[in-house]
Amino acid sequence: MQDVFEPLELPDYHFLAGLIQSNVNLTNDQRIRSLLVDYEEVGSPEIRAELDRQLEREIRYLGSADIAYLTRYVMGREPGVSFQEVVRDAARALKVEPPRPGSSREQVESVVAQYVTQQFAGLPREAQQKMLEDLGVQREKAAAFLKRSAGVFAVPALVEAFGVIVVDGLIKNVIFGAIGRLIGRQLSTQLFQFIAGRFPWWLRWIGPTAWTASIGWTVLDLQGPALRKTVPIVLYLGLCSMRQHGEGGSARTTDRN
């Protein structure tokens, strides 16, 4: 799953570390934080690679029950489930189709694209109209598109109709709204304030409304603590992957401003 980490920048690592952190499971939060400090100070490919390996270990662990994880560990087998299984479980929890076989990046992007269009389609027509207008679409253009689409939406069609910037805003609105509900207001606020205070470009990327969006997305009712961790992780990884496409595959930097 190393390809799914390729688009990540320093604030993204901090965000994922915040999602993973927990006092009630066996994730090695201290190791992740230590590697983050080293990577921020040195920025070497070797440290980044080790950070990626540690993140993969923790994500795969979160997708596995504690007992099953410990059994694999004691028997000398690779602990944790495969990342593909983590993504499939997230898709099932979000009530979208499991992604087709492909790279890790293709799979997390598929989950994000499906979930965003599902959530948008589930809104009343008036709410869809308002959201498009809030994202800068002219009233008449939004109304004509909604009438023409007849409730059937797809990310490519939205991009063709309104452009990348509008759709990017829609995606972030839905995804950050879902993550905020899943991890809770207190943790989401702490993460937002910490990362936005240190990395202004991350705040600009999110946009002024995405994090605090209160539009009526479907309430997520996830069974079990693991999914409350893995679903936000899968959604955020997919969002970061889409961000890189939107930037034309621009090179990653650790000191972007």
Side-chain angles (χ1 to χ4, degrees):
M1 62 173 291
Q2 292 304 306
D3 64 318
V4 85
F5 295 132
E6 195 277 332
L8 301 184
E9 303 194 33
L10 189 55
D12 303 317
Y13 281 110
H14 280 286
F15 192 86
L16 288 169
L19 293 179
I20 289 171
Q21 183 175 348
S22 174
N23 295 323
V24 296
N25 60 44
L26 301 177
T27 53
N28 195 341
D29 303 332
Q30 185 175 356
R31 177 61 175 160
I32 292 177
R33 293 295 179 187
S34 175
L35 287 168
L36 257 177
V37 170
D38 292 343
Y39 182 52
E40 190 164 359
E41 291 179 351
V42 180
S44 72
E46 293 77 15
I47 296 175
R48 180 188 172 98
E50 180 60 29
L51 178 57
D52 289 346
R53 284 191 291 271
Q54 189 67 36
L55 281 174
E56 178 177 356
R57 177 187 181 277
E58 306 308 333
I59 292 169
R60 292 176 60 195
Y61 156 64
L62 287 168
S64 172
D66 288 354
I67 294 176
Y69 178 90
L70 288 172
T71 300
R72 293 187 185 97
Y73 183 80
V74 170
M75 295 179 64
R77 295 161 57 193
E78 185 70 17
V81 299
S82 69
F83 183 66
Q84 287 70 29
E85 187 170 342
V86 172
V87 177
R88 286 196 299 270
D89 286 345
R92 189 179 304 113
L94 293 168
K95 297 180 173 57
V96 300
E97 292 294 321
R100 296 176 181 176
S103 69
S104 296
R105 287 188 64 175
E106 291 169 338
Q107 292 191 334
V108 294
E109 288 181 18
S110 172
V111 171
V112 166
Q114 289 187 76
Y115 183 65
V116 168
T117 52
Q118 173 207 80
Q119 290 295 290
F120 186 70
L123 292 174
R125 176 68 68 87
E126 296 77 11
Q128 293 172 340
Q129 175 83 27
K130 182 179 186 305
M131 186 170 194
L132 291 173
E133 290 180 26
D134 289 345
L135 290 168
V137 179
Q138 294 180 349
R139 177 184 295 271
E140 294 77 12
K141 186 174 182 180
F145 172 81
L146 292 173
K147 182 178 180 180
R148 184 171 66 251
S149 65
V152 179
F153 304 101
V155 168
L158 287 164
V159 171
E160 182 178 356
F162 305 121
V164 173
I165 294 177
V166 170
V167 178
D168 182 60
L170 170 62
I171 292 172
K172 286 183 288 191
N173 191 306
V174 174
I175 297 306
F176 277 114
I179 291 174
R181 290 195 310 281
L182 284 168
I183 67 177
R185 181 179 298 274
Q186 182 177 2
L187 177 56
S188 62
T189 300
Q190 289 174 348
L191 267 175
F192 177 82
Q193 291 177 341
F194 170 73
I195 300 175
R198 297 189 58 202
F199 304 97
W201 74 261
W202 189 84
L203 179 60
R204 292 195 297 271
W205 168 58
I206 292 174
T209 62
W211 190 261
T212 57
S214 59
I215 198 165
W217 306 122
T218 302
V219 176
L220 297 171
D221 182 19
L222 302 184
Q223 300 299 316
L227 287 172
R228 297 189 188 99
K229 294 283 187 179
T230 55
V231 170
I233 288 168
V234 167
L235 290 175
Y236 190 75
L237 287 171
L239 183 62
C240 290
S241 186
M242 288 180 162
R243 177 186 68 202
Q244 190 183 48
H245 294 323
E247 295 171 348
S250 59
R252 178 184 58 250
T253 61
T254 57
D255 60 349
R256 183 176 174 176
N257 52 46

